[in-house]
Each structure stands twice: as structure tokens, then as C-alpha cells.
């Protein structure tokens, strides 16, 4: 967690420094080569012929399962003299105890910085940096990761460090302390940015504030994490039968397989990570306000619970999202941004994740003085779906966009490896992506309008505004009863200590 | 963009990392795969063959950024970048002759409105309302011919990936990727938008840009600080103005102003187009020539002539803001063509890169006073003399003064003692790795090759810059540190937490009132 925070802080600074500004904003979507079906030439671009895309059979990684349950994928890629590996291990922050929220974030950092029994993290830094190599660990809601990246010629040296860290981490307490201080800092800064508040609080409204996918680290919960907790976590989860290892780069698969078998075959099985049974409450509809008077733009997030990717409606949902809230062609972009000039960033859709429901979300950023106007404009666009259903032409356009861009899901060996590891992790069929284009192609306008009606209910959405209500065009309460969210940061236990100017209120 | 950065940790971990030995190897291999051609109209083309998958990416580099914004029209370079997605005389319109006439009327009506609004003695309210209505009516009239976002829709429908553009102080760039069977379609679209751009829906897009300013600058403490800081650090050079533009200018410039900017700077001699992917140079070069050769020849515009005068006293800005503290400082340095450019790169790496960096070890690991600290060059641009900057986020309970002092202690160390052999070796290895990171990616490669070609007139400088770092000595680092990092050459920017920080308390913050 902390690493991501720092990374984003420094990125923010560097990005601002560059003064970069971007004109388009297209959420990452998916997509496939499809025969061009250009209609009768009327203007210049339509006269240009589009040849068939050359046949392309992307190389699939080799899957190996060891007797101890460890799954390995090997994906050769000889473009550059590099080798990289990533292990994904079951068990993440949703499985940590609520009173120790932040434990897995600390684990993901201190696993690496705390070193091994034979080498401190600092010694490891020196050893790796002169080789421009990396061994890094990380954390997420349902897994932790450990990986390496190095020159082919350093593979043996670096892989040795990787294995040592995988099996014998020490989690030294001086590094735990640094990581905790970093988390305290991130907590103290979490109300500095309106966009940060909006993203976090929208997730809490969609999933429920106590849901493990939404809960926040606090001074008390981070402070409660001990060295023993990190050792215990490693002991509980880091076993071959909980792990998927993917290796890509400039190697010979047979030789690599032999090396990995030598390293891991004799590693005994451990207890299987339990699958979490997490309840997702429906969002409580209504209007929610976080007043922030140092901004001149309102962050509007309208949310409800989304779905998972194994839902048979997933493909129709994808097409709907593209047509309604995706790119340049979408209804929201065309109406809210282009026609009304109300927002720079606007978009959304019915979110679908692999392992747990995504968030159905529509977002827009608009000046304080058009806050209510923008919410009403989004409302109209949603209501319009009933009176003006998504047309055949819109569906065709969305399908073309998705299918013609599908090749970008497969255009490098490491992307394909990443996809396969994801399906393996979440128990999806190995050929899940192969079926994707055909499934998208089958979606009809009736399907799209059916999923819109099934999932997108304006009256079931929670509407969050983070902004300066003194400058709104009308009070938010003209739309309905408003609940003001308390985002005050609970102070560190014992009233202490070193938090600048007291905890931000 | 943010969603991309917050990619899964798994993906972050697999980020490509490269090394020393690869660099030379690759220069030779790139020599074989890259062709550069300058067309008779002055436009430069670069084609790089990378047959990994049936796709390609491009990068169009225009050698004009916000440093070229005219006085009173800050934000214009960025505004034009938005307009480049609005189509042409055949894309985005149902009837161009009628639309053209209607757009001309919008400009006349806007000029009348603006002139009344900006009268020295104040506008006549009734007259102003009348003129505003006439202007809005003219817009409505023009809008009836618009096919909104047709340009972007065509790209999307054909599988366009990561369609975007950026404007910074130094340049403007456009890029996306397509399946390789769409190469000719792309060459048509990309040349057409700079051959026959139509600045339709200008005033609505201006509102979108104003929202972008609110998002990036006004409503973010760090955005507010950087704008004030840059303004303080540069007295004369256009680097003192924000790329996105001052609010008053954004509410003032017209489509006519943007068209004039385009006419002056979007000329072939000022443009470089790079294509990377599964292409055969012999096949695609004639296609590129056919389409991009149509752009009319024109003289390369003159560079701004102002030179930032030497700074002779420390400057500082302090924002008492609704935010936890931040410390930032910058020192003037010469532009990217300086013989010491590689020395600054080496210093940046030494001070900032990874857990072995001096600032991490001193401020985060040992003194435990900062959550993060680093130094970097290129603030706010690098084409003209600019700043080398250091920053730190103080940990709770620690002050900007403490982290500033700790940064200065590290700078003193750099001035007084040679760096170690190990450090020098580490810098060399890492800079090579850093450079080549991204070379295994069509879009990254197109951007890097296009930029190097435009900046130095030779894409090979991308690789030579690594050789220059190899030649950096310990003495160079001490010399440049002693020369640059001195108090009189310093501008400090600080965010201090405003007293009584309470969400409900009105504290009319800087951006809000504009």
C-alpha cells in the first residue's frame, strides 16, 4: 500500500512538473481483429481500403504443475536479453483482521526491505542495484507478489536472491518501523486531494464501509501490526500450493523448467489458503456530500454494486459500457463533455472484476457552479436509455471498437502470460480470452438494452459529491435528502504524536 | 491515465528492465531497422521495423509547446491540441461550406462580445447580454452542421488504442496505436487533421479545458504550489507561465487565435512523425510520403529570444494550505544541449533512484524524517534553461525546514566529496537500464525516437546520451554541484498546513477565486 502511495505521490509531482495535459481520456477497455466492413465510400477516409490483418497466432506459455501444487508458466521472449519472474500468492488484505488493517500492505513492503536471514534488505539493495536488477514484493486485496527482473547473464545470481527472500524472509523491525511511519504519513495525507477522497468514499459507498475491499488503514490498525504478524502471515500463506509463478524472457523453457524443478520440487505443501466469503451489501441510495472548500471543481461519483466477469451478461455489459460511458463515441462523453462542455473527465459503466464484484460507477468532474446541472445531465442520459435504447448502429460501433482493438490484448508475450496467470488465479478457463471475440460478436442491441435495464437503476445509486457547497449552482438537497460524510481521520491512540498540526479534520 | 498508473502490482513488477550490455547491441540492431526521411516540405519521417505483433504505434511531434503561447493567450498551445480531435472539412461535418460561414460568424460575434466585456471602464450590461446572446446564437447555428467526435470515433472503430495527446512547455505530441492493416487509414487521418483542421465547437471545448485546469491546478494543493513556484523561479522566460493557461486567458482567447497559432507552428518543418511496429519500410514510406507530403511548406517559426537573467538572490513561495506539508526547491541549469546535461542525469540518478539513492538513505532510512525524497531535472521543461529540483514529503511530526536542511546536507556532501567507484558504476548501469526500459514497446519507442530526432536532429542521440553518461567523472559531479546548487540560485516552494484545518471552515484558497 505504502509503496503505491509514494509512487503515486512522486508521479503526481513529476507529472505536474512536466506540465503535461492530455486531451483524450479513454478508460482501458478491451478488444479483435474483425474483417473491415466499411460502408459505401462517401468521404476520404472511407475510400481507403483495409487489407486483412495478417494471421497472428500468439504464443501461449507452457504450464507446469509440480507435485506440491505449485503452478508455473514459462513464456519465452527472445527480443531482449532479459528474464523476469513474478509469483502471485493467495491471500491478501481482504483476509487481514479488521483491527490490523494495513497488515498486508506492511507485509508487501517489509518482505523485501526486511531482507533474509543471510542478507539484510540494505545489502540486497547494493547487490541488486549494481546489476540493474530488481527483486520486489507487493500486495493486493487477494494476493501478495514477489518477483525478479534481470539481465539474462545475471539470472543465477538474482534468482538465488529471489528464492532466499521467498523462503527465508526476516522482516527486520527497523524496516517495519519505516514502513509504519510511511503508512502514518499516507493516512495523514489522505484528505489532501479531493480526487483521492472521492475515489475512496465512492468505493466505501458501493461496497459498504466495513467491507474488506473498502476499509481504510488507520493509525491504530497500522500501529497494531507486529513483527510476529508478518512472520505469521508468511508462515500461513507462502506455500507452493498457494502460488502461481510466471517467468518470461530470453531462456530455453526446458532448461528453465529443470532449474525451477530443482529449486521448488522438494518444497513441501502447506495449508491451502481459505477462500474468503465476503458479503457485499447493496449501496444505500441517496446523496452524500463531503464539503471541501479549497476546490473549485466538484468530484461527482454515482455508484452501485457491479458484477463479476464470469457473469454470462459480461459481454453485453462490455458492449454497453463502450457505448454508454467508454471512449469518444460514448453517450456520456458526447453529451456531458462535448455538447455541454461540463466536464473534462466523464465516463463510467458497469464494473466487472475477476474475483469479486466490480463497481457500477459514473464519474464526472465539473465546476462547483454546475454541480447540480451535471448530476441532472447524467440523470437525463441514464433516463434516456429507456426512451432511446442503444441502437444497432451504436452496438455495431462498440463491437468494432472492442474487436478491432482486441489484438492489443495479445501483442506481447508478457501480456499473454499475465492473462493466463489471472485466469489460473481466479479459476477461469485457460481459453477464456480466446472465446472473448466470438462472445462480443454475438451481442445484440436487445442484449445491450436488457443489461442496461437489469443493472443500471438510477434510483438504486449512491451519489457522492466532493466539492465546495458554498459555490454550487443549487443546494445538493434540491435533488433529495443529503447525508454529510464524516471523513475526519481518527487520531493515533493515546492522543499523540507527531502528526502535523493535529490530525486533519 | 491514472488508472493505467495504478496498474496491478503484478504488472508493475514485470516492468521491463534492461542493462548495459543490451545498449550497444541494440543501437546496432536499431540502425538496421530504422529509416529517416525528410520530405521536400520539411517534415521528418522515422520508420522503425519491430515485427512482434501485427500492430503499429505512431508519435507526431510538434516543436511548439506552451513556451510559444502568445502574451495574453497562455494555454493556447494546449487548446489547439484539444482542437486537433475536432475533425476536418470532411470529417465531423454534414455541410462544410455552410458550417464554415457559420463558424466565421461565431468569431465575429465573439470578438464583439469580448471587446464589450473587456472594456477598461466596464461593459454596458444590457449591451453585453445582447452580444453574449448573439454569440451563443451563432454557436447554435454552427453546431447544426457538426457530427460530434467523428474523428475520434473513426479511430476507435478501427481499434485505436491509447488515443491521446499531450502538451508541455516544450512540445506537443499526438499518439495512438492501430492494427497494422490500418496504416494507410491512419496516414490519411493524421495528415488530414493537420492539413484541413476545422476548429468547430471551440468555446465548448474551451470550457472542457477550463475544467482540466480546475482538476489539475486549482483543486490540488500540489498543483497550486507548482504554479506559484514556477512563476517565482522564472522572471523573464515563458517557463514562468502555466501550460494549461491562466484562467483569465482561457476565458479570453478565440478560435481565431488558435488558428493563428496553428498556422505559425504546425508547419511541416516543425513536425516529426515516428512509426514503429510490424511494418516494412519499403512498403510504408511511399504511403507516408503520399499523405504527409501534402502539407504545405512554410518557414520554421523563430524561437522566442528571451533569456532568463541570472538569479542573484534566493526566492521562496510558501502556501499555507489545506494539505500536509511538502518541500520543493529548484536551481537554474542550462538547457538539454548543455555539455553537462549527462552530469545532471547522473546526479539525478545518484540522489533519487531506488533504495540505494542518497536521498532515500539519508531522509527515509537513516534520519527517518521523510516519507519520500528525490531530485530530478527538467522542471518545468528542458528545451530552454530550466531547473534541477529536489523535494521531500516530511513524515508526521517533522517539518519542511528539517527535510530542507537534510537535502542541503546531502548536496554539501556531493560538493565536498567524490562519489565512490561503486556509485559511479551503479549510475552508469542504471541509466542504461532506464533508457532502454520502454524500447520493447512500440508506443514508447515511437515517442522516444520521435523526440530525439526532433530535439537533436538524430534519433541516435537517444543512445549516445548513454555514452555521455559513461564519460561523466567524479570531478564533473563535484564541479556541476558546486556551480549549480548555491543559495543565490535557489527557489524554494513550501506547503505548510494551514492552521485550524477544518473541512467546513472557509479558507478561500488560491485557485477557487479565479
Amino acid at each position: 500500500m505504502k509503496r503505491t502511495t509514494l509512487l503515486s505521490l512522486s508521479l503526481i509531482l513529476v507529472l505536474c512538473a512536466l506540465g503535461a495535459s492530455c486531451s483524450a481520456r479513454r478508460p482501458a477497455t478491451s478488444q479483435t481483429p474483425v474483417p473491415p466492413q466499411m460502408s459505401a465510400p462517401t468521404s476520404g477516409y472511407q475510400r481507403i481500403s483495409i487489407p486483412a490483418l495478417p494471421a497472428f497466432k500468439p504464443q501461449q506459455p507452457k504450464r507446469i504443475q509440480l507435485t506440491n501444487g505449485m503452478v508455473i508458466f514459462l513464456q519465452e521472449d527472445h527480443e531482449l536479453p532479459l528474464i523476469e519472474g513474478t509469483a502471485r500468492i493467495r491471500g491478501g488484505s481482504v483476509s487481514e483482521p479488521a483491527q490490523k488493517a494495513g497488515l498486508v500492505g506492511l507485509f508487501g513492503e517489509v518482505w523485501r526491505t526486511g531482507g533474509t536471514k543471510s542478507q539484510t534488505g540494505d545489502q540486497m539493495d547494493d547487490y541488486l542495484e549494481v546489476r540493474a536488477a530488481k527483486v520486489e514484493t507487493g500486495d493486493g486485496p487477494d494476493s501478495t507478489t514477489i518477483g525478479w527482473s534481470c539481465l539474462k547473464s545475471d539470472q543465477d545470481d538474482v534468482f538465488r536472491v529471489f528464492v532466499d527472500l521467498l523462503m527465508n524472509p526476516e522482516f527486520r523491525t527497523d524496516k517495519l518501523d519505516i514502513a509504519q511511519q510511511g503508512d502514518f504519513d499516507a493516512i495523514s495525507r489522505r484528505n489532501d486531494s479531493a480526487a483521492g477522497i472521492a475515489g475512496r468514499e465512492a468505493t466505501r459507498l458501493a461496497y459498504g464501509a466495513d467491507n474488506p475491499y473498502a476499509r481504510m488503514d488507520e493509525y491504530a490498525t497500522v500501529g497494531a501490526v507486529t513483527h510476529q504478524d508478518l512472520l505469521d502471515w508468511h508462515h500461513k500463506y507462502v506455500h507452493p500450493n498457494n502460488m502461481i509463478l510466471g517467468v518470461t524472457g530470453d531462456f530455453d523453457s526446458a532448461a528453465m523448467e529443470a532449474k525451477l524443478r530443482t529449486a521448488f520440487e522438494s518444497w513441501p505443501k502447506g495449508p491451502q489458503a481459505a477462500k474468503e466469503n465476503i458479503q457485499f451489501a447493496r449501496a444505500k441510495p441517496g446523496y452524500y456530500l463531503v464539503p471541501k472548500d479549497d476546490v473549485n471543481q466538484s468530484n461527482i461519483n454515482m455508484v452501485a454494486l457491479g458484477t463479476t466477469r464470469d457473469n454470462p451478461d459480461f459481454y453485453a455489459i462490455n458492449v454497453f459500457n463502450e457505448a454508454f460511458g467508454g471512449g469518444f463515441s460514448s453517450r456520456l462523453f458526447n453529451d456531458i463533455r462535448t455538447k455541454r462542455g461540463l466536464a473534462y473527465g466523464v465516463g463510467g459503466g458497469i464494473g466487472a472484476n475477476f474475483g469479486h464484484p466490480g463497481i457500477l460507477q459514473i464519474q464526472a468532474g465539473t465546476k462547483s457552479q454546475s454541480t447540480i446541472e451535471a448530476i441532472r445531465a447524467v440523470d437525463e442520459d441514464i433516463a434516456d436509455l429507456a426512451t432511446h435504447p442503444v441502437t444497432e448502429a451504436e452496438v455495431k460501433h462498440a463491437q468494432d471498437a472492442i474487436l478491432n482493438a482486441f489484438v492489443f490484448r495479445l501483442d506481447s508475450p508478457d501480456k499473454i502470460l499475465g492473462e493466463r496467470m489471472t485466469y489460473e488465479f481466479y479459476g477461469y478457463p485457460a481459453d477464456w480470452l480466446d472465446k472473448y471475440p466470438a462472445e462480443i460478436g454475438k451481442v445484440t442491441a436487445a442484449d445491450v438494452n436488457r443489461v442496461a435495464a437489469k443493472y443500471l437503476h438510477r434510483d438504486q445509486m449512491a451519489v457522492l459529491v466532493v466539492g465546495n457547497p458554498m459555490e454550487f449552482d443549487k443546494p445538493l438537497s434540491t435533488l433529495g435528502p443529503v447525508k454529510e460524510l464524516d471523513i475526519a481521520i481518527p487520531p493515533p491512540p493515546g492522543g499523540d504524536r507527531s502528526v502535523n498540526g493535529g490530525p486533519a479534520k | 491515465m491514472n488508472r493505467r498508473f495504478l496498474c496491478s502490482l503484478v504488472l508493475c513488477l514485470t516492468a521491463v528492465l534492461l542493462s548495459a550490455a543490451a545498449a550497444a547491441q541494440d543501437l546496432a540492431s536499431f540502425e538496421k531497422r530504422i529509416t529517416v526521411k525528410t520530405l521536400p516540405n520539411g517534415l521528418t519521417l522515422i520508420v522503425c521495423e519491430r515485427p512482434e505483433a501485427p500492430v503499429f504505434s505512431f508519435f507526431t511531434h510538434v516543436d511548439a509547446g506552451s513556451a510559444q503561447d502568445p502574451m495574453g493567450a497562455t494555454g493556447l498551445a494546449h487548446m489547439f491540441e484539444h482542437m486537433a480531435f475536432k475533425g476536418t472539412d470532411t470529417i465531423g461535418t454534414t455541410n462544410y461550406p455552410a458550417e464554415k460561414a457559420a463558424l466565421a460568424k461565431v468569431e465575429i460575434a465573439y470578438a464583439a462580445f469580448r471587446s464589450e466585456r473587456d472594456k477598461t471602464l466596464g461593459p454596458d450590461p444590457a449591451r453585453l447580454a445582447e452580444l453574449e446572446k448573439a454569440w451563443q446564437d451563432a454557436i447554435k447555428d454552427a453546431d447544426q452542421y457538426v457530427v460530434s467526435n467523428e474523428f475520434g470515433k473513426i479511430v476507435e472503430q478501427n481499434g485505436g488504442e491509447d488515443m491521446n495527446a499531450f502538451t508541455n512547455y516544450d512540445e506537443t505530441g499526438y499518439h495512438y496505436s492501430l492494427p497494422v492493416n490500418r496504416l494507410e487509414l491512419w496516414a490519411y487521418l493524421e495528415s488530414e487533421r493537420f492539413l484541413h483542421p476545422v476548429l468547430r465547437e471551440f468555446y465548448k471545448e474551451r470550457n472542457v479545458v477550463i475544467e482540466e485546469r480546475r482538476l489539475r491546478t486549482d483543486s490540488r494543493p500540489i498543483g497550486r504550489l507548482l504554479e506559484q513556484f514556477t512563476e517565482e523561479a522564472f522572471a523573464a522566460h515563458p517557463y514562468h507561465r502555466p501550460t494549461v493557461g491562466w484562467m483569465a486567458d482561457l476565458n479570453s482567447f478565440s478560435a481565431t487565435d488558435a488558428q493563428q497559432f496553428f498556422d505559425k507552428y504546425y508547419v511541416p518543418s516543425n513536425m516529426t512523425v515516428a512509426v514503429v511496429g510490424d511494418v516494412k519500410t519499403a512498403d510504408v514510406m511511399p504511403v507516408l510520403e503520399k499523405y504527409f507530403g501534402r502539407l504545405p511548406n512554410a518557414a520554421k517559426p523563430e524561437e522566442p529570444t528571451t533569456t532568463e537573467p541570472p538569479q542573484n538572490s534566493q526566492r521562496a513561495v510558501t502556501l499555507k494550505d489545506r494539505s500536509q506539508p511538502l518541500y520543493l526547491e529548484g536551481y537554474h541549469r542550462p538547457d538539454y544541449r548543455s555539455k553537462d546535461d549527462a552530469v545532471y542525469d547522473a546526479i539525478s540518478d545518484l540522489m533519487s533512484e531506488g533504495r540505494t539513492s542518497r536521498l532515500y538513505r539519508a531522509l527515509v532510512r537513516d534520519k527517518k524524517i521523510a516519507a519520500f525524497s528525490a531530485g530530478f531535472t527538467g522542471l518545468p521543461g528542458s528545451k530552454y534553461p530550466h531547473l534541477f529540483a529536489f523535494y521531500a514529503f516530511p513524515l508526521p511530526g517533522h517539518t519542511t525546514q528539517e527535510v530542507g536542511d537534510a537535502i542541503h546536507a546531502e548536496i554539501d556532501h556531493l560538493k565536498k566529496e567524490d562519489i565512490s567507484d561503486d556509485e559511479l558504476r551503479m549510475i552508469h548501469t542504471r541509466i542504461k537500464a532506464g533508457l532502454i526500459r520502454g524500447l520493447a514497446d512500440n508506443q514508447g519507442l515511437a515517442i522516444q525516437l520521435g523526440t530525439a530526432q526532433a530535439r537533436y536532429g538524430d534519433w541516435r542521440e537517444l543512445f549516445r546520451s548513454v555514452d555521455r553518461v559513461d564519460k561523466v567523472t567524479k570531478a564533473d559531479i563535484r564541479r556541476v554541484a558546486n556551480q549549480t546548487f548555491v543559495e543565490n540560485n535557489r527557489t524554494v516552494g513550501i506547503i505548510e498546513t494551514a492552521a485550524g484545518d477544518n473541512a467546513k471552515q472557509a479558507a478561500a484558497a488560491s485557485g477557487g477565486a479565479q
Side-chain angles (χ1 to χ4, degrees):
Chain A
M1 302 279 281
K2 181 184 157 232
R3 251 177 350 108
T4 340
T5 311
L6 288 180
L7 179 67
S8 59
L9 281 173
S10 45
L11 271 176
I12 285 163
L13 192 67
V14 172
L15 286 176
C16 299
L18 293 173
S21 294
C22 310
S23 66
R25 179 176 166 283
R26 191 175 192 284
T29 42
S30 25
Q31 316 25 323
T32 268
V34 95
Q37 292 172 343
M38 290 296 171
S39 47
T42 54
S43 88
Y45 81 92
Q46 286 160 314
R47 278 196 289 268
I48 293 171
S49 69
I50 296 176
L53 197 65
F56 178 51
K57 189 106 182 70
Q59 162 197 311
Q60 289 294 323
K62 178 179 185 190
R63 183 183 184 280
I64 300 160
Q65 184 153 22
L66 305 185
T67 48
N68 57 18
M70 183 169 175
V71 173
I72 295 170
F73 287 103
L74 300 178
Q75 176 78 315
E76 293 185 29
D77 178 1
H78 302 285
E79 187 181 10
L80 296 166
L82 287 172
I83 297 178
E84 310 184 337
T86 303
R88 186 169 183 187
I89 299 147
R90 294 183 193 280
S93 60
V94 299
S95 302
E96 71 198 2
Q99 70 275 15
K100 295 203 178 196
L103 189 160
V104 174
L106 292 165
F107 178 87
E109 178 173 347
V110 184
W111 192 357
R112 168 62 176 80
T113 57
T116 68
K117 290 180 174 57
S118 61
Q119 208 178 16
T120 68
D122 292 355
Q123 287 168 333
M124 209 178 275
D125 295 339
D126 290 329
Y127 183 85
L128 294 168
E129 290 285 348
V130 288
R131 292 166 174 81
K134 297 274 180 207
V135 171
E136 288 295 333
T137 56
D139 60 278
D142 50 21
S143 59
T144 59
T145 56
I146 176 168
W148 80 93
S149 169
C150 66
L151 255 192
K152 179 188 181 180
S153 52
D154 292 327
Q155 164 67 13
D156 288 347
D157 289 345
V158 176
F159 183 68
R160 204 175 304 121
V161 175
F162 167 80
V163 173
D164 188 27
L165 190 63
L166 177 67
M167 300 193 173
N168 310 305
E170 190 64 16
F171 304 105
R172 286 181 177 78
T173 52
D174 58 328
K175 299 301 184 187
L176 173 59
D177 183 54
I178 288 174
Q180 282 173 316
Q181 292 297 327
D183 280 3
F184 294 154
D185 182 70
I187 293 166
S188 78
R189 293 177 188 273
R190 77 179 176 209
N191 287 340
D192 288 0
S193 135
I197 296 168
R200 178 185 82 220
E201 296 300 328
T203 303
R204 284 155 56 85
L205 287 171
Y207 285 150
D210 295 328
N211 181 285
Y213 283 95
R215 73 185 163 212
M216 294 184 290
D217 302 352
E218 300 292 355
Y219 292 112
T221 64
V222 168
V225 176
T226 64
H227 174 244
Q228 191 60 44
D229 290 330
L230 305 185
L231 284 170
D232 289 348
W233 186 275
H234 184 265
H235 189 68
K236 183 169 177 190
Y237 289 101
V238 182
H239 302 293
N241 45 315
N242 282 332
M243 187 181 308
I244 299 164
L245 172 66
V247 186
T248 181
D250 190 10
F251 56 78
D252 171 72
S253 288
M256 180 62 78
E257 179 176 344
K259 280 193 176 167
L260 296 178
R261 283 188 184 277
T262 308
F264 298 122
E265 192 92 77
S266 60
W267 192 10
K269 263 187 173 177
Q272 192 73 35
K275 189 156 167 46
E276 296 294 330
N277 185 17
I278 293 168
Q279 298 304 310
F280 291 85
R282 280 185 182 281
K284 290 199 178 61
Y287 294 89
Y288 298 85
L289 175 68
V290 176
K292 190 151 176 41
D293 51 31
D294 66 336
V295 300
N296 60 3
Q297 187 178 64
S298 294
N299 280 269
I300 299 165
N301 293 56
M302 304 165 70
V303 298
L305 196 61
T307 186
T308 49
R309 295 194 185 201
D310 51 2
N311 181 338
D313 287 337
F314 173 68
Y315 304 97
I317 285 173
N318 255 225
V319 176
F320 168 77
N321 288 348
E322 181 77 19
F324 184 68
F328 271 92
S329 328
S330 72
R331 287 190 177 191
L332 285 177
F333 188 96
N334 275 273
D335 185 47
I336 309 290
R337 173 162 159 162
T338 307
K339 290 215 175 69
R340 305 193 200 225
L342 279 176
Y344 169 72
V346 60
I350 303 161
N353 289 343
F354 279 101
H356 69 282
I359 297 176
L360 186 162
Q361 178 152 227
I362 297 170
Q363 295 167 280
T366 192
K367 62 184 177 294
S368 306
Q369 294 82 359
S370 53
T371 304
I372 308 305
E373 183 188 352
I375 295 171
R376 286 193 161 138
V378 172
D379 287 352
E380 283 172 28
D381 288 337
I382 295 173
D384 194 48
L385 284 166
T387 47
H388 297 97
V390 178
T391 63
E392 296 285 352
E394 284 174 285
V395 169
K396 174 72 173 62
H397 181 97
Q399 284 171 318
D400 283 352
I402 294 171
L403 295 174
N404 284 324
F406 181 73
V407 64
F408 293 105
R409 298 271 293 265
L410 314 165
D411 65 349
S412 73
D414 67 303
K415 276 190 197 173
I416 296 163
L417 174 66
E419 297 274 355
R420 281 292 298 277
M421 287 177 71
T422 301
Y423 309 148
E424 180 79 31
F425 187 87
Y426 292 107
Y428 282 56
D431 62 350
W432 190 74
L433 196 62
D434 299 345
K435 292 186 177 150
Y436 183 85
E439 293 294 333
I440 290 289
K442 279 186 228 161
V443 173
T444 65
D447 295 330
V448 170
N449 289 302
R450 180 181 55 78
V451 298
K454 181 172 171 186
Y455 296 97
L456 181 55
H457 301 286
R458 176 59 185 85
D459 60 351
Q460 292 177 15
M461 296 174 82
V463 180
L464 170 70
V465 180
V466 180
N468 183 358
M470 305 297 283
E471 295 180 356
F472 288 178
D473 39 350
K474 282 176 192 156
L476 188 55
S477 57
T478 50
L479 299 172
V482 176
K483 181 169 188 245
E484 201 172 301
L485 296 178
D486 179 10
I487 60 163
I489 299 169
D496 165 45
R497 82 199 216 280
S498 43
V499 179
N500 273 299
K505 258 275 292 160
Chain B
M1 302 290 286
N2 273 332
R3 272 180 243 177
R4 286 283 155 100
F5 282 118
L6 298 174
C7 62
S8 77
L9 286 160
V10 177
L11 282 177
C12 293
L13 273 177
T14 52
V16 179
L17 197 96
L18 253 225
S19 96
Q25 228 170 305
D26 275 275
L27 179 53
S29 122
F30 278 107
E31 285 282 2
K32 285 186 212 132
R33 297 189 277 134
I34 292 182
T35 306
V36 178
K37 183 156 192 172
T38 301
L39 301 183
N41 63 8
L43 185 133
T44 302
L45 297 168
I46 310 177
V47 175
C48 174
E49 298 181 356
R50 186 172 171 268
E52 295 288 317
V55 295
F56 76 99
S57 304
F58 81 93
F59 177 58
T60 297
H61 177 281
V62 182
D63 192 12
S66 63
Q68 277 69 33
D69 285 341
M71 276 294 287
T74 57
L76 199 56
H78 173 235
M79 183 70 208
F80 182 82
E81 174 228 303
H82 275 242
M83 297 316 293
F85 290 82
K86 289 293 181 185
T88 68
D89 57 356
T90 56
I91 296 169
T93 188
T94 57
N95 180 349
Y96 184 62
E99 186 187 19
K100 187 180 179 188
L103 286 171
K105 285 184 188 153
V106 172
E107 288 308 288
I108 292 165
Y110 179 64
F113 164 73
R114 181 169 68 176
S115 155
E116 181 68 27
R117 184 193 66 187
D118 298 346
K119 270 187 177 165
T120 316
L121 299 178
D124 169 350
R127 173 98 186 114
L128 187 66
E130 196 179 292
L131 289 170
E132 182 166 19
K133 182 169 184 310
W135 168 44
Q136 291 301 326
D137 287 348
I139 288 174
K140 273 197 199 91
D141 187 47
D143 280 353
Q144 67 179 304
Y145 306 108
V146 174
V147 183
S148 276
N149 296 321
E150 190 180 10
F151 185 89
K153 286 179 187 175
I154 296 168
V155 174
E156 257 174 25
Q157 186 161 22
N158 281 283
E161 182 82 348
D162 299 334
M163 175 169 42
N164 217 328
F166 66 84
T167 307
N168 61 36
Y169 283 84
D170 298 333
E171 56 229 334
T172 309
Y174 301 85
H175 57 85
Y176 55 87
S177 306
L178 278 174
V180 74
N181 57 341
R182 265 79 176 171
L183 190 118
E184 184 174 0
L185 175 70
W186 160 77
Y188 170 80
L189 291 171
E190 188 66 2
S191 56
E192 196 73 4
R193 76 161 147 181
F194 299 124
L195 187 60
H196 304 297
V198 174
L199 277 56
R200 55 176 62 92
E201 301 177 300
F202 182 87
Y203 298 96
K204 277 181 210 156
E205 194 65 25
R206 202 177 67 171
N207 288 337
V208 170
V209 169
I210 290 170
E211 291 296 351
E212 194 178 345
R213 182 191 154 83
R214 292 190 179 101
L215 172 77
R216 294 182 193 278
T217 305
D218 297 340
S219 295
R220 292 193 334 170
I222 293 176
R224 299 194 282 259
L225 176 71
L226 272 170
E227 187 168 277
Q228 297 292 310
F229 174 83
T230 313
E231 191 191 356
E232 185 69 23
F234 292 89
H237 192 269
Y239 274 171
H240 76 273
R241 311 174 309 180
T243 291
V244 73
W246 299 114
M247 195 63 101
D249 290 354
L250 292 170
N251 277 308
S252 177
F253 59 54
S254 65
T256 307
D257 296 328
Q259 182 70 46
Q260 283 166 358
F261 185 91
F262 168 79
D263 290 341
K264 182 169 178 186
Y265 291 106
Y266 281 65
V267 297
S269 52
N270 220 25
M271 296 168 76
T272 303
V273 178
V275 173
V276 180
D278 188 13
V279 295
K280 289 262 179 289
T281 306
D283 298 340
V284 302
M285 201 55 103
V287 177
L288 301 184
E289 287 184 61
K290 172 181 166 188
Y291 288 102
F292 288 97
R294 301 180 300 157
L295 297 175
N297 205 345
K300 191 167 164 71
E302 280 179 20
E303 284 294 309
T305 50
T306 307
T307 302
E308 182 66 21
Q311 183 173 343
N312 54 19
S313 61
Q314 175 166 302
R315 300 172 192 163
V317 290
T318 301
L319 256 71
K320 297 254 198 262
D321 214 329
R322 308 285 301 286
S323 162
Q324 297 303 301
L326 166 63
Y327 180 86
L328 169 69
E329 64 176 33
Y331 299 88
H332 289 277
R333 55 149 286 184
D335 69 44
Y336 75 100
R337 290 163 306 169
S338 155
K339 65 175 174 50
D340 288 330
D341 194 49
V343 185
Y344 289 106
D345 287 345
I347 293 174
S348 171
D349 183 276
L350 173 76
M351 300 296 269
S352 318
E353 207 50 50
R355 295 191 193 91
T356 54
S357 71
R358 288 192 170 184
L359 289 172
Y360 178 86
R361 287 203 157 163
L363 277 77
V364 179
R365 186 189 74 175
D366 297 339
K367 294 195 167 101
K368 299 182 171 57
I369 56 175
F372 190 71
S373 180
F376 64 99
T377 190
L379 182 70
S382 59
K383 194 167 135 191
Y384 308 101
H386 54 275
L387 303 176
F388 190 106
F390 296 96
Y391 66 97
F393 294 94
L395 279 178
H398 296 277
T399 63
T400 51
Q401 176 78 43
E402 276 178 274
V403 297
D405 289 348
I407 288 171
H408 296 158
E410 286 310 306
I411 289 174
D412 282 343
H413 185 193
L414 201 59
K415 288 175 172 177
K416 289 183 183 138
E417 282 174 50
D418 279 346
I419 70 168
S420 71
D421 291 330
D422 280 351
E423 282 176 317
L424 197 59
R425 211 168 25 245
M426 209 179 279
I427 292 169
H428 292 161
T429 313
R430 267 196 314 229
I431 292 228
K432 279 164 195 158
L435 167 87
I436 297 160
R437 186 183 290 139
L439 292 189
D441 162 67
N442 289 341
Q443 188 69 80
L445 199 47
I447 291 174
Q448 293 198 74
L449 290 171
T451 306
Q453 182 71 32
R455 287 251 174 138
Y456 299 95
D458 188 351
W459 60 268
R460 293 170 190 83
E461 290 297 321
L462 186 60
F463 296 87
R464 290 184 192 138
S465 66
V466 168
D467 301 338
R468 283 196 290 272
V469 172
D470 261 340
K471 296 196 182 81
V472 170
T473 65
K474 297 175 186 178
D476 284 333
I477 288 175
R478 277 178 72 172
R479 172 179 56 81
V480 167
N482 277 291
Q483 213 166 282
T484 309
F485 304 132
V486 296
E487 189 179 335
N488 279 353
N489 190 31
R490 181 192 300 149
T491 304
V492 177
I494 290 173
I495 296 179
E496 297 288 5
T497 308
D501 189 3
N502 183 307
K504 286 177 195 166
Q505 208 171 3
S510 56
Q514 290 191 47

